[in-house]
Amino acid sequence: MKVFFDARQLGHAPTTYFRRGAAMPHQEQPQRAEILRDMLLANDFAITAPADNGLDPIKAVHNPDYVDFLPDAHARFVESAGPDALAIPTMHPGLRRGKEPKDIHGQLGWWMTDTSTPLTAGTWDAAYWSAQSAISAADAVAQDARASYALCRPPGHHAMRDCANGFCFFNNACIAAERLRKTYGKVALIDVDVHTGNGSLDILYARGDIFFVSLHPDPATYPTFYLGHADETGEGEGEGASLNILLEQGASQDDVLAALDRALEAIRGFGAEALVVSLGFDMAADDPLAAVQVYPEGFAEMARRLAALDLPTVLVQEGGYLGPSLADNARSFLTSFREATR
């Protein structure tokens, strides 16, 4: 299994964000990727630096104006607000009627939906190379690799077409799926991060060529809220090509595996020719953002069931935070998937 990661992905280093009305330490830390990288090296995974495929594959998924906003946004914010201010939006356009402003503070609110994506000096390079890792992983599969893994950090599945959200700037999984469409007629994207793949749902909702399925607790009562309800099944050409499988908060490992089986049955019914997995280890029972109860052996079984689809597969890292079992969960899933796809 080919693995892609670039050290520049460690450069995004947020310290705090606002959650439930209070400032708290940011969960999406560079150390997450360092733990996963070290686990990979300790288990004989060769890590390859991604190729630089430029902005076109990113702009194929995201609003080009949003992409162009990001490279110098942090520098512009610091120039306006000073080096000690937190680069998050403090005003929003409501229902998005209106026009993008020119002022950096207004632009932050235009292009970001929440306070979880503060910009830092290294954010642009990290987000850019995270996307490039996903693109290279997709290219490896399109060139006949059975499977690949993109150690994407920052993650991506909450990023919508034209805004950052939920720790995410570019939707790496959708970028990979779009890249695979150059080779395969039908692609499936399954999201097994504990949170709704709301960004992927936003991007793919009207498409019939990429089937999207997400396993997550009910968004009526659990972040990221708003999107991911069971009755959201797609629209237009995408009608029937989106599937949200809701879990109870506190769901057991067996419950999660049963939901996964439903998702896999739907992917088979779609006739997918290639697969992208939004892989979140925050399904873990001891994850700092835990909502369900999956353990290392459960991640291994998830890997075996996904591999049994027997599809060219790109694994794209999403959540999984600094809980005690992060390395164990990643080892269980990735070594099991590697063994099942040899």
Side-chain angles (χ1 to χ4, degrees):
M1 182 164 63
K2 297 195 174 185
V3 176
F4 296 91
F5 175 71
D6 189 289
R8 282 168 284 194
Q9 294 171 228
L10 302 174
H12 174 61
T15 55
T16 58
Y17 74 122
F18 289 92
R19 183 165 177 252
R20 297 187 177 182
M24 59 183 61
H26 204 290
Q27 300 282 354
E28 209 287 284
Q29 290 296 309
Q31 187 183 357
R32 298 178 54 239
E34 293 172 335
I35 288 170
L36 296 175
R37 177 200 62 197
D38 293 347
M39 181 283 298
L40 291 164
L41 294 173
N43 287 274
D44 300 321
F45 289 90
I47 300 177
T48 301
D52 188 349
N53 288 280
L55 291 175
D56 286 350
I58 300 172
K59 291 182 175 181
V61 167
H62 289 285
N63 182 330
D65 291 341
Y66 166 62
V67 177
D68 290 340
F69 154 75
L70 285 170
D72 66 348
H74 178 261
R76 292 173 55 217
F77 179 85
V78 170
E79 182 180 4
S80 173
D84 297 327
L86 185 63
I88 59 172
T90 53
M91 54 197 75
H92 294 276
L95 296 177
R96 299 298 293 270
R97 285 189 288 269
K99 297 180 180 179
E100 178 194 1
K102 299 301 182 185
D103 180 83
I104 182 61
H105 303 280
Q107 286 180 317
L108 287 174
W110 185 260
W111 296 121
M112 297 181 178
T113 65
D114 62 21
T115 66
S116 74
T117 53
L119 300 174
T120 73
T123 297
W124 167 252
D125 279 347
Y128 180 85
W129 287 103
S130 186
Q132 297 302 327
S133 291
I135 295 162
S136 288
D139 286 348
V141 164
Q143 295 161 10
D144 295 330
R146 170 63 177 83
S148 63
Y149 169 59
L151 204 184
C152 289
R153 190 271 157 186
H157 71 143
H158 299 312
M160 301 183 184
R161 181 177 181 272
D162 59 1
C163 54
N165 176 255
F167 305 165
C168 303
F169 296 91
F170 292 144
N171 196 306
N172 306 305
C174 284
I175 292 168
E178 176 69 21
R179 192 75 167 181
L180 289 176
R181 278 286 293 112
K182 294 179 176 292
T183 303
Y184 302 98
K186 287 186 172 183
V187 175
L189 169 51
I190 180 171
D191 191 315
V192 295
D193 182 284
V194 76
H195 300 94
T196 311
N198 59 311
S200 302
L201 194 66
D202 172 71
I203 291 167
L204 301 175
Y205 203 61
R207 293 186 61 161
D209 57 339
I210 301 176
F211 180 79
F212 176 67
V213 54
S214 178
L215 283 58
H216 52 265
D218 190 340
T221 58
Y222 186 74
T224 54
F225 306 124
Y226 311 122
L227 293 179
H229 297 274
D231 61 355
E232 295 167 1
T233 60
E235 64 184 12
E237 294 181 4
E239 179 61 46
S242 291
L243 174 63
N244 296 290
I245 299 177
L246 304 190
L247 302 167
E248 296 289 337
Q249 290 192 51
S252 70
Q253 184 165 281
D254 286 344
D255 293 333
V256 173
L257 290 171
L260 177 63
D261 285 342
R262 283 185 57 199
L264 300 180
E265 181 180 1
I267 289 170
R268 292 186 183 97
F270 175 69
E273 300 166 19
L275 180 70
V276 177
V277 180
S278 275
L279 177 60
F281 297 124
D282 48 4
M283 283 270 191
D286 61 2
D287 188 89
L289 300 179
V292 300
Q293 302 179 56
V294 179
Y295 298 90
E297 65 272 18
F299 284 106
E301 182 59 23
M302 291 172 72
R304 288 188 286 267
R305 295 187 190 190
L306 285 161
L309 286 173
D310 197 25
L311 294 173
T313 300
V314 179
L315 306 171
V316 176
Q317 188 61 50
E318 302 289 0
Y321 301 96
L322 296 177
S325 70
L326 175 58
D328 289 340
N329 296 327
R331 181 185 307 109
S332 292
F333 185 99
L334 292 168
T335 58
S336 296
F337 197 91
R338 177 176 63 182
E339 184 63 29
T341 54
R342 279 179 170 161

